[in-house]
Amino acid sequence: MSAKPSYYITTPIYYVNDIPHIGHAYTTLACDVLARFKRLDGFEVLFLTGTDEHGQKVEKSAAAAGKTPKEFCDIVSQRFRDLAEVMKFSNDDFIRTTEDRHKRACQALWNKLLDNGHIYLDKYAGWYSVRDEAFFGENELVENKENIKVAPTGAPVEWVEEESYFFKLSNFEEKLLSFYENLPATVLPNTRKNEVKSFVEGGLRDLSISRTSFNWGVPVPDNDKHIMYVWIDALTNYITAAGYPDVGSEKFKNFWPADIHMVGKDILRFHAVYWPAFLMGAGLEPSNRIFAHGWWTSDGQKISKSLGNVIDPFGLVDEFGLDQVRYFLMREVSFGKDGDFNRQSMINRINSDLANDLGNLAQRSLSMIYKNCDGAIPCPDALSLDDKTLLDMVDCLLVYVRDCIDKQAINKYLELIWKVVSAANIYFTAQEPWALKVTDPARMATVLYVTAEAIRQISILSQPIMPDSAAKLLNTLNIPINERGFEYLGGVHRITSKNSIEKPQGVFPRFIET
Ligand code: MSP
């Protein structure tokens, strides 16, 4: 066992029927921020992402592209790896459901559920939506504008009648309802938890978990006429990457149950109803938390290929810069709620929060140190009340932001840091160190010292969101790499006077529309 506490975080695995868009980048970015935060806070992290490569939807997309499913998956899956590189996602593993380790885990889970009496063979007759890869009861269908019955998501449905294995989901109602009441919260935000609860309270039907009408998937053990339903296959990825079926392995013992599965609100039911039931059925502990975030729209409209308003994350990073995009996506929307992507809001955030607030504070104060203090952090004199007030604010930030991160309130975490950025700006302007240079150089030195210390701590805390820009600021301050963890926050490890600094370079340029 590692001496560090463990933290296992997962993204949904992405369907390879489509190239990555902003929604995919958003989910993984949120996980990346949480993973980076936890590492800096002393945890041993396993951060998993990957691609969901089986099922009818992918089989059909491959056929439409004139490729075999495997060829098609290899190409599209690579785009998700490219996205991870461009967005600097710090995932420790990238799982593909077409890997052997995953097939082994799926079949082992299946056998366990079978042995425990939760699977039986019967016939399925009902509606199926390939786009949603989901079964629907007659009562769940809605009529679209053309008076055709469709899934609640608007996706077309087809009538399916075939032999199928079923999972006895109906046996898990009570267990699931008590799982939702576990503390700390197992499903967040609370509004989503209530939706899930009322769905379960409404009664659960057994779930069809195999299909015979297509081939692209994991075969059912001892009956390969049947292919596992893509969601049982997909959800299993979370235990595959933790080492399942080797439940006695150090890795599995260390990382299972997962601390958090981050998902979009559209796939909450699969994660908060089916997945804990499968795990309980197999005698495994259910995950500690499922968090459902909201959806992005573009200028108020649903993002869709047919509307031609899909936002390409690669293009955004090219145009605005990586840390700018990361900051905007995490700051603009209250995490858990829907948000609207709008170009002007992005530019406003870049110019006000980054260029004006943090960028100017750093550039003005560090340039003064570089020019007026022999290029080194000056020695402070006795601290005034204003100095102490600012330092106290900085020193206690970790306690508050840690609480935000533990609730996945990522935008709040940034709001709190920016409150301190703003206080530091007010302090710097009010103290007028440029005037003190003539009237009281010792006091100027103190003001510059206090500001540099505030920038050091703000930069350390900004690393999860803006790894490159925070590193540039910490490099300018010459903070050693091994002194950038959260144990270096607070008053115990103040910035060292006489530490030479590098010539400050602007870290957050203004965005000027051409
Ligand atoms: N393959 C399944 C997940 C299996 S997990 C065991 C899947 N894949 S997906 O590629 O369709 O979607 C992946 C994630 O992207 C979902 O969490 C979904 O909510 C998210 N988003 C897709 N479009 C989005 C927006 N417009 N905005 C925010 N996130 C959205 O579902």
Side-chain angles (χ1 to χ4, degrees):
M1 276 279 175
S2 150
K4 291 180 175 184
S6 65
Y7 186 75
Y8 181 21
I9 177 163
T10 68
T11 74
I13 47 172
Y14 301 103
Y15 283 131
V16 288
N17 65 312
D18 204 358
I19 54 169
H21 61 65
I22 192 162
H24 307 126
Y26 183 60
T27 315
T28 314
L29 173 60
C31 293
D32 185 55
V33 169
L34 301 178
R36 285 176 183 270
F37 189 100
K38 287 287 176 183
R39 287 191 200 103
L40 289 163
D41 207 15
F43 285 71
E44 188 188 352
V45 172
L46 175 58
F47 167 22
L48 174 71
T49 188
T51 41
D52 187 355
E53 307 193 359
H54 288 138
Q56 252 173 309
K57 177 149 92 171
V58 172
E59 195 179 56
K60 282 191 173 176
S61 303
K67 304 249 183 296
T68 66
K70 184 65 173 59
E71 283 165 357
F72 183 73
C73 290
D74 288 347
I75 297 167
V76 186
S77 175
Q78 186 56 44
R79 291 296 283 163
F80 283 92
R81 282 174 200 254
D82 296 343
L83 179 70
E85 212 178 299
V86 166
M87 298 280 302
K88 298 227 165 117
F89 294 148
S90 61
N91 50 296
D92 302 289
D93 194 353
F94 186 102
I95 191 165
R96 299 184 56 185
T97 52
T98 43
E99 290 172 58
D100 284 345
R101 61 171 171 163
H102 182 63
K103 182 175 164 193
R104 179 170 164 254
C106 288
Q107 295 191 327
L109 180 74
W110 184 282
N111 283 333
K112 196 83 196 155
L113 292 173
L114 193 69
D115 289 349
N116 291 351
H118 300 300
I119 291 181
Y120 62 95
L121 187 62
D122 202 346
K123 250 192 132 178
Y124 178 77
W127 296 100
Y128 191 75
S129 154
V130 174
R131 199 164 91 194
D132 295 336
E133 295 283 19
F135 300 94
F136 292 102
E138 184 74 42
N139 58 344
E140 288 178 285
L141 300 185
V142 294
E143 280 198 2
N144 69 7
K145 278 188 237 140
E146 291 86 40
N147 296 339
I148 298 172
K149 284 192 174 171
V150 291
T153 55
V157 287
E158 58 195 49
W159 183 255
V160 173
E161 253 184 74
E162 59 189 36
E163 186 183 76
S164 171
Y165 285 97
F166 282 81
F167 172 72
K168 288 188 188 165
L169 187 63
S170 55
N171 279 354
F172 288 85
E173 278 173 29
E174 288 310 314
K175 286 195 188 103
L176 284 169
L177 289 173
S178 57
F179 166 67
Y180 303 140
E181 297 313 323
N182 282 354
L183 286 174
T186 45
V187 180
L188 280 179
N190 274 324
T191 46
R192 299 278 168 217
K193 173 170 127 174
N194 294 337
E195 282 170 26
V196 171
K197 263 176 69 180
S198 38
F199 173 73
V200 174
E201 279 160 356
L204 293 173
R205 282 179 293 135
D206 290 349
L207 182 70
S208 161
I209 50 165
S210 77
R211 308 289 311 276
T212 53
S213 47
F214 72 101
N215 290 319
W216 185 236
V218 180
V220 166
D222 304 320
N223 189 354
D224 57 13
K225 198 172 79 182
H226 285 257
I227 297 295
M228 289 185 199
Y229 171 41
V230 66
W231 270 100
I232 190 168
D233 162 346
L235 290 161
T236 303
N237 93 87
Y238 302 132
I239 47 175
T240 306
Y244 191 80
D246 303 324
V247 291
S249 66
E250 278 304 303
K251 189 173 190 187
F252 196 83
K253 285 195 282 187
N254 208 10
F255 289 111
W256 197 260
D259 291 274
I260 177 163
H261 298 308
M262 181 68 72
V263 299
K265 62 180 183 179
D266 53 318
I267 52 172
L268 180 61
R269 190 183 291 181
F270 300 97
H271 284 82
V273 181
Y274 302 167
W275 183 227
F278 293 155
L279 289 166
M280 291 173 193
L284 296 170
E285 273 187 77
S287 315
N288 292 335
R289 175 168 299 168
I290 300 125
F291 189 101
H293 66 68
W295 269 45
W296 284 90
T297 49
S298 172
D299 292 321
Q301 280 195 308
K302 187 173 185 258
I303 298 178
S304 86
K305 261 204 268 186
S306 50
L307 290 173
N309 63 352
V310 173
I311 302 166
D312 166 29
F314 294 97
L316 282 186
V317 171
D318 262 358
E319 184 171 13
F320 296 105
L322 174 62
D323 282 350
Q324 284 76 358
V325 171
R326 289 178 60 113
Y327 177 83
F328 173 79
L329 292 176
M330 292 295 101
R331 175 70 197 261
E332 188 66 6
V333 175
S334 172
F335 198 68
K337 302 244 168 71
D338 291 338
D340 187 45
F341 184 89
N342 165 284
R343 194 182 158 79
Q344 196 52 48
S345 321
M346 164 82 97
I347 296 171
N348 293 348
R349 287 279 178 203
I350 292 176
N351 289 343
S352 75
D353 300 15
L354 298 181
N356 283 356
D357 295 351
L358 182 53
N360 262 346
L361 173 71
Q363 193 58 19
R364 285 200 298 167
S365 57
L366 302 183
S367 299
M368 270 199 85
I369 295 178
Y370 193 74
K371 284 191 204 133
N372 301 300
C373 310
D374 300 325
I377 302 294
C379 288
D381 212 346
L383 296 182
S384 71
L385 185 62
D386 287 343
D387 304 336
K388 285 187 192 148
T389 307
L390 181 64
L391 288 177
D392 282 350
M393 230 179 142
V394 178
D395 290 347
C396 67
L397 204 44
L398 177 62
V399 176
Y400 294 104
V401 297
R402 188 185 272 139
D403 184 53
C404 295
I405 288 296
D406 286 339
K407 294 178 182 144
Q408 291 74 51
I410 306 180
N411 59 304
K412 279 259 154 54
Y413 152 51
L414 281 173
E415 273 166 33
L416 288 178
I417 298 179
W418 254 256
K419 276 211 170 101
V420 176
V421 170
S422 158
N425 265 314
I426 292 170
Y427 164 86
F428 192 77
T429 307
Q431 299 295 324
E432 299 185 327
W434 51 91
L436 294 171
K437 190 173 136 186
V438 184
T439 57
D440 188 350
R443 178 69 201 141
M444 173 196 77
T446 308
V447 171
L448 292 178
Y449 173 87
V450 169
T451 312
E453 169 62 3
I455 293 173
R456 179 187 75 89
Q457 295 205 41
I458 289 165
S459 305
I460 290 181
L461 279 168
S462 300
Q463 294 175 99
I465 304 276
M466 301 185 291
D468 289 348
S469 311
K472 278 187 197 156
L473 290 171
L474 292 165
N475 290 346
T476 305
L477 290 171
N478 269 328
I479 305 298
I481 300 281
N482 62 355
E483 293 182 12
R484 297 178 183 187
F486 291 168
E487 70 273 30
Y488 286 89
L489 290 170
V492 182
H493 298 280
R494 289 270 182 249
I495 195 161
T496 320
S497 300
K498 303 210 174 73
N499 220 29
S500 65
I501 68 163
E502 303 299 320
K503 186 166 197 273
Q505 311 283 347
V507 174
F508 297 111
R510 286 185 73 75
F511 184 87
I512 298 165
E513 193 84 82
T514 47

